């Protein structure tokens, strides 16, 4: 992702093999997604608490990612800003520490609870939900798949390796 600006957007065990030397070998390249810079940069900046914890910077990134739009009402801006702050604060949690233990049941319980809340949120259905960059579908699918795979493996992962590709900050 951070070097090639591409992801395998269907990460599940059926698309990979592991050889005798523990090398990961992809065998299905049917869902490779190129990620343009104008999406990559604001998306991964939102993994940085600096952006999550600064309401002005956070809102600016939401506009760059087309989550917030110029034609949104004040109510829509407030609603989607709060919703995505909650969502991204949780989903970027692994990037806020040097190592993340994906066997953490509290983390996955919080994801499940949030999913249930979104499913039951009648206000979300009433709002103009056609928003966000088209690249979100693939990136979110990728992270959701990877997180679930890491959870199944009870993996403890070094999460700061991507910093060698340091984002503009």
């Amino acid at each position: 992702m951070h070097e090639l600006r591409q992801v395998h957007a269907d990460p599940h065990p059926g698309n990979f093999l592991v050889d005798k030397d523990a090398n990961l070998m992809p065998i299905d390249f049917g869902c490779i997604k190129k990620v343009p810079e104008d999406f990559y940069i604001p998306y991964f900046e939102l993994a940085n608490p600096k952006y999550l914890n600064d309401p002005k910077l956070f809102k600016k990134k939401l506009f760059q990612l087309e989550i917030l739009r110029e034609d949104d009402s004040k109510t829509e801006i407030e609603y989607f800003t709060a919703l995505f702050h909650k969502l991204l604060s949780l989903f970027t949690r692994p990037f806020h520490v040097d190592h993340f233990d994906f066997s953490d049941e509290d983390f996955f319980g919080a994801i499940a609870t949030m999913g249930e809340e979104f499913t039951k949120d009648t206000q979300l259905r009433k709002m103009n939900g056609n928003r966000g960059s088209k690249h979100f579908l693939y990136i979110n699918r990728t992270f959701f798949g990877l997180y679930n795979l890491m959870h199944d493996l009870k993996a403890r992962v070094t999460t700061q390796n991507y910093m060698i590709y340091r984002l503009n900050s």
Side-chain angles (χ1 to χ4, degrees):
M1 166 59 96
H2 301 293
E3 185 175 357
L4 299 175
R5 301 298 196 259
Q6 296 181 23
V7 293
H8 189 296
D10 192 13
H12 68 79
N15 285 337
F16 298 91
L17 296 174
V18 178
D19 71 10
K20 63 180 173 44
D21 297 320
N23 294 307
L24 187 64
M25 304 179 331
I27 58 173
D28 180 344
F29 295 92
C31 197
I32 300 297
K33 172 68 177 149
K34 291 184 180 184
V35 180
E37 286 292 306
D38 63 343
F39 177 82
Y40 172 86
I41 291 172
Y43 184 86
F44 282 98
E45 283 176 335
L46 285 176
N48 181 336
K50 169 185 167 181
Y51 293 91
L52 278 172
N53 297 327
D54 182 321
K56 192 173 184 176
L57 286 174
F58 184 74
K59 195 176 287 187
K60 179 181 176 184
K61 296 300 163 194
L62 293 183
F63 274 105
Q64 288 177 321
L65 293 167
E66 303 169 32
I67 292 167
L68 297 179
R69 303 184 319 219
E70 296 301 328
D71 64 336
D72 281 340
S73 68
K74 182 180 179 195
T75 301
E76 288 170 321
I77 288 174
E78 290 172 0
Y79 176 80
F80 284 111
T81 299
L83 182 133
F84 276 89
H85 189 270
K86 182 177 180 180
L87 177 73
L88 291 168
S89 294
L90 178 60
F91 271 88
T92 63
R93 193 179 299 167
F95 296 102
H96 299 170
V97 293
D98 291 337
H99 299 89
F100 191 79
D101 185 351
F102 281 91
S103 68
D104 181 349
E105 294 300 332
D106 291 337
F107 176 69
F108 282 88
I111 290 174
T113 298
M114 186 180 294
E116 290 173 23
E117 289 171 2
F118 289 162
T119 301
K120 296 175 183 174
D121 187 342
T122 57
Q123 187 175 1
L124 180 59
R125 284 184 241 149
K126 293 177 187 174
M127 297 276 188
N128 184 347
N130 186 18
R131 60 185 61 242
S133 168
K134 64 183 178 182
H135 306 291
F136 266 108
L137 174 66
Y138 294 98
I139 301 307
N140 291 344
R141 176 181 175 162
T142 300
F143 275 104
F144 191 72
L146 285 172
Y147 283 12
N148 279 307
L149 191 57
M150 295 295 111
H151 181 64
D152 290 346
L153 294 170
K154 307 295 183 218
R156 187 170 192 273
V157 176
T158 301
T159 58
Q160 299 302 308
N161 289 346
Y162 79 100
M163 293 302 284
I164 63 172
Y165 304 102
R166 193 110 227 192
L167 300 171
N168 299 336
S169 35

